Amino acid sequence: MYKIFDTVDEVSLYTAQRLLEKIKAAPSAVMGLATGSTMEPVYAQLLGALQQSPVDLSQLTTFNLDEYIGLSAEHPQSYNYYMCQHLFNQLNIPKHNIHLPDGLASDIEAACLAYSNAIQTMGGMDLQLLGIGSNGHIGFNEPQTCFNSRTHVVELSEQTRIDNGRFFVEQSEVPTLAITMGIKDILEAKEIILVATGRNKTDIMAQLFSSEIDERLPASALKQHSNLTIVLDREAAALLPEQAFKNAV
Ligand code: F6R
């Protein structure tokens, strides 16, 4: 299902409200969270809503999608740092309920396995929030990732390193490796919300719309999911055919 809004603000408000509804309906929900520019206004809206009308988050569990290998939680470009800045520092989610892949784990393979197992032990995500890379990645599952994958180490594509270079002082500082939740972990979420905004996402959203389910376009795996909402602003939706707008708001 597509939801298409005029502005990023509207996209973010809608998405934040969906998260909030889920939390209110199920205080012990398991949420899959994403980072990146797209999520910043979503989290800002969520914080704003929670400030106006506080909700007890003490039973909530979160699992983040991904983390760079080699960056500590204190590194300003690590996803751990991002989540603390944009969300966790302002919320009362117990620390032990917050999960991010550990990019400094001494045994990375064991850490990946433990991460997937922890997600499965919790019964999978009730709601998974996703952004999308300009190359169609979800989490850091780059093109050609097996759709059967669990949490694993990934070599970041050149496109992703270039896209994410904007967050680093020098392009050479962008890590080459990351840990990502696998596509299978993502698909096992009971509900998925994919958010894309801005001109950088126009082409990939058009490709995704017309694509078959194909490992060359990781986000196409989501077409198998029975409870997927794709939330776009007008810019990201600019090249979608009329049909996409039929059931959209
Ligand atoms: C981040 C993540 C990535 C981003 C994607 C879009 O945790 O999983 O898939 O969602 O790279 O990033 P932005 O929003 O910065 O364009």
Side-chain angles (χ1 to χ4, degrees):
M1 174 178 49
Y2 280 88
K3 294 272 180 191
I4 300 170
F5 296 93
D6 287 333
T7 66
V8 171
D9 273 355
E10 290 169 289
V11 165
S12 307
L13 182 61
Y14 170 82
T15 307
Q17 280 171 346
R18 289 281 301 269
L19 294 176
L20 211 49
E21 277 163 21
K22 184 58 112 187
I23 298 168
K24 283 182 179 166
S28 59
V30 180
M31 294 286 195
L33 298 177
T35 62
S37 305
T38 313
M39 296 305 152
E40 288 182 23
V42 173
Y43 294 148
Q45 293 279 4
L46 185 61
L47 288 180
L50 285 167
Q51 256 162 17
Q52 281 195 347
S53 133
V55 171
D56 177 23
L57 302 175
S58 61
Q59 296 175 65
L60 192 72
T61 297
T62 67
F63 284 92
N64 261 81
L65 279 166
D66 40 19
E67 179 60 284
Y68 291 115
I69 290 183
L71 301 193
S72 71
E74 291 75 40
H75 191 291
Q77 301 314 334
S78 73
Y79 287 168
N80 200 321
Y81 189 92
Y82 170 109
M83 289 306 297
C84 290
Q85 293 300 309
H86 293 287
L87 207 59
F88 295 148
N89 285 350
Q90 286 82 272
L91 298 182
N92 62 349
I93 307 172
K95 272 210 160 67
H96 60 266
N97 286 1
I98 292 174
H99 306 271
L100 282 110
D102 178 3
L104 290 184
S106 51
D107 185 342
I108 295 273
E109 295 301 334
C112 289
L113 185 62
Y115 201 74
S116 270
N117 286 344
I119 293 170
Q120 286 166 66
T121 302
M122 292 300 297
M125 264 76 66
D126 291 301
L127 176 59
Q128 177 66 55
L129 189 57
L130 294 175
I132 183 169
S134 65
N135 63 355
H137 72 214
I138 48 173
F140 270 143
N141 292 287
E142 300 284 29
Q144 306 292 358
T145 302
C146 172
F147 284 176
N148 232 0
S149 56
R150 295 281 183 196
T151 303
H152 62 285
V153 174
V154 61
E155 186 173 351
L156 296 174
S157 72
E158 211 35 48
Q159 185 61 55
T160 297
R161 292 190 68 248
I162 291 167
D163 287 347
N164 289 4
R166 68 190 191 281
F167 299 113
F168 292 80
V169 180
E170 298 278 342
Q171 180 62 36
S172 59
E173 291 173 17
V174 184
T176 53
L177 298 175
I179 299 175
T180 183
M181 223 182 250
I183 292 184
K184 192 161 188 181
D185 299 314
I186 293 171
L187 288 178
E188 284 174 357
K190 295 169 190 73
E191 182 180 352
I192 298 179
I193 301 180
L194 174 81
V195 187
T197 54
R199 233 167 273 147
N200 284 351
K201 303 295 163 68
T202 311
D203 290 340
I204 193 62
M205 292 319 299
Q207 278 175 45
L208 177 60
F209 183 85
S210 53
S211 164
E212 301 289 316
I213 297 172
D214 186 330
E215 287 181 354
R216 285 173 294 180
L217 205 176
S220 69
L222 302 173
K223 293 186 175 204
Q224 305 168 51
H225 201 278
S226 58
N227 192 358
L228 166 71
T229 309
I230 299 181
V231 190
L232 305 176
D233 70 347
R234 289 271 160 202
E235 285 192 334
L239 294 180
L240 291 192
E242 263 314 298
Q243 294 146 279
F245 290 81
K246 269 193 191 146
N247 297 320
V249 288

